[in-house]
Amino acid sequence: MSDSVAHQISLFRSLILSRRLDGAALRIIESVMVSKDVRSSSVAIRSSLRDFIRFESISIMRENAEKPVEKKLLDLDFLVRAFALLGDNCLALRYEALLLRDFKSTSCQWLEVSHMEWLNFAEQSLDYGFNSIARKACENALMCFQKASKTNLETTEFFEGVKIIEKIKRLKDCAMTSAVSRSGSVLSVQVQAERYTKNKLMNRSKASSSVCKETQYLATTLFRNGIRKRNQRYLQESQSLVKMTDEPNTNRS
């Protein structure tokens, strides 16, 4: 990394830390990313800057908690643009901005989110596997379109409106199908895991029972052998006593 690029990155960090979230900071990122000096280390630089902005974005949003909506939206827009220059779609921040605009649009009409904004966001969310968010975005897109259609009832736009509604519904169905398929796969894995665990426990129980039986059988055998040996010993002792008793009688006769 050249000294010039290092200086630009340092300046960018300084601007962010001082909360100067404006076009100057964005131009620095753009300049760094197209510089020939960073081609060999562009991946590392992008990753480092993304981590830095991601960390600072959390602090920025916390600091803006009590600030006007305009300030929140301006900072969110800056963060979205900064992430985009670094190759990050930053869906979470974009979703935050759309929800904030939608919430405040009742009192500030200029913040109103169009159905196309929701639809584009839904498509990108689905592409990245955020199925539930994509479904919700489709629902918002449909509501926005229906709301806008109430003020525009020209028959020339009717068929175009039908196509838009069909597109939104198809995308929503796709998101729901993907969500069910994914949850089904997870459920299938869970079922297989439960079956495996159950079989393992059953086998372990059988093995334990078998060990207990083998131990019991072994103990019984030892016990019986002990009794047999003891009886044999008693028999031998009795026979010896009888023999000793018979010998004197034989001598007398």
Side-chain angles (χ1 to χ4, degrees):
M1 184 191 305
S2 67
D3 293 339
S4 175
V5 172
H7 175 71
Q8 286 182 301
I9 292 176
S10 177
L11 179 59
F12 171 76
R13 290 175 179 269
S14 177
L15 291 174
I16 299 299
L17 292 173
S18 62
R19 298 299 184 254
R20 291 182 57 185
L21 312 180
D22 52 22
L26 294 176
R27 285 191 292 272
I28 291 175
I29 296 181
E30 189 174 10
S31 176
V32 169
M33 289 299 99
V34 299
S35 175
K36 296 180 180 180
D37 297 332
V38 301
R39 288 182 179 178
S40 59
S41 57
S42 61
V43 175
I45 292 175
R46 286 177 187 272
S47 178
S48 176
L49 289 175
R50 277 199 299 263
D51 291 341
F52 171 73
I53 298 176
R54 188 174 292 111
F55 179 81
E56 288 301 320
S57 65
I58 298 174
S59 299
I60 291 170
M61 294 177 70
R62 287 175 179 171
E63 293 167 6
N64 287 348
E66 303 299 328
K67 293 183 179 180
V69 177
E70 292 80 1
K71 173 62 175 173
K72 294 178 181 178
L73 289 173
L74 284 173
D75 288 350
L76 282 171
D77 182 67
F78 170 84
L79 293 171
V80 168
R81 291 174 182 272
F83 275 116
L85 289 172
L86 295 171
D88 193 325
N89 57 56
C90 57
L91 289 173
L93 288 175
R94 290 174 58 194
Y95 191 45
E96 182 77 18
L98 290 172
L99 289 176
L100 183 59
R101 284 175 54 194
D102 187 62
F103 177 72
K104 294 295 183 180
S105 62
T106 53
S107 56
C108 302
Q109 192 173 0
W110 62 275
L111 293 175
E112 191 172 76
V113 183
S114 69
H115 72 276
M116 284 305 301
E117 288 181 282
W118 278 120
L119 186 58
N120 291 334
F121 180 78
E123 290 176 339
Q124 293 180 3
S125 297
L126 186 61
D127 289 340
Y128 283 91
F130 297 100
N131 303 313
S132 59
I133 294 178
R135 177 184 59 80
K136 183 61 179 176
C138 288
E139 293 174 355
N140 291 338
L142 187 59
M143 286 190 294
C144 289
F145 179 77
Q146 291 173 341
K147 181 180 178 181
S149 298
K150 291 180 180 180
T151 59
N152 190 355
L153 301 177
E154 295 182 11
T155 55
T156 54
E157 297 183 357
F158 174 77
F159 294 105
E160 183 180 353
V162 171
K163 291 181 179 179
I164 293 174
I165 292 175
E166 289 179 350
K167 182 178 181 180
I168 294 173
K169 289 184 176 180
R170 281 198 305 270
L171 188 62
K172 180 183 176 181
D173 291 341
C174 183
M176 293 176 66
T177 302
S178 298
V180 171
S181 176
R182 185 174 181 180
S183 62
S185 299
V186 173
L187 181 60
S188 177
V189 172
Q190 290 177 342
V191 170
Q192 292 179 13
E194 289 176 359
R195 288 178 179 174
Y196 171 78
T197 304
K198 185 177 180 180
N199 291 334
K200 189 174 182 180
L201 290 174
M202 289 178 63
N203 292 334
R204 185 178 297 174
S205 177
K206 289 180 180 179
S208 177
S209 176
S210 177
V211 170
C212 291
K213 288 181 179 179
E214 289 177 2
T215 304
Q216 182 180 4
Y217 293 154
L218 179 61
T220 303
T221 302
L222 291 174
F223 187 72
R224 288 177 179 176
N225 289 339
I227 293 176
R228 187 178 296 111
K229 289 181 179 180
R230 188 188 63 178
N231 291 339
Q232 288 177 352
R233 187 172 64 253
Y234 284 165
L235 178 60
Q236 290 175 357
E237 290 178 354
S238 298
Q239 289 175 345
S240 297
L241 288 173
V242 170
K243 186 176 181 181
M244 290 175 62
T245 304
D246 290 340
E247 285 180 354
N249 293 332
T250 303
N251 293 333
R252 287 177 184 177
S253 59

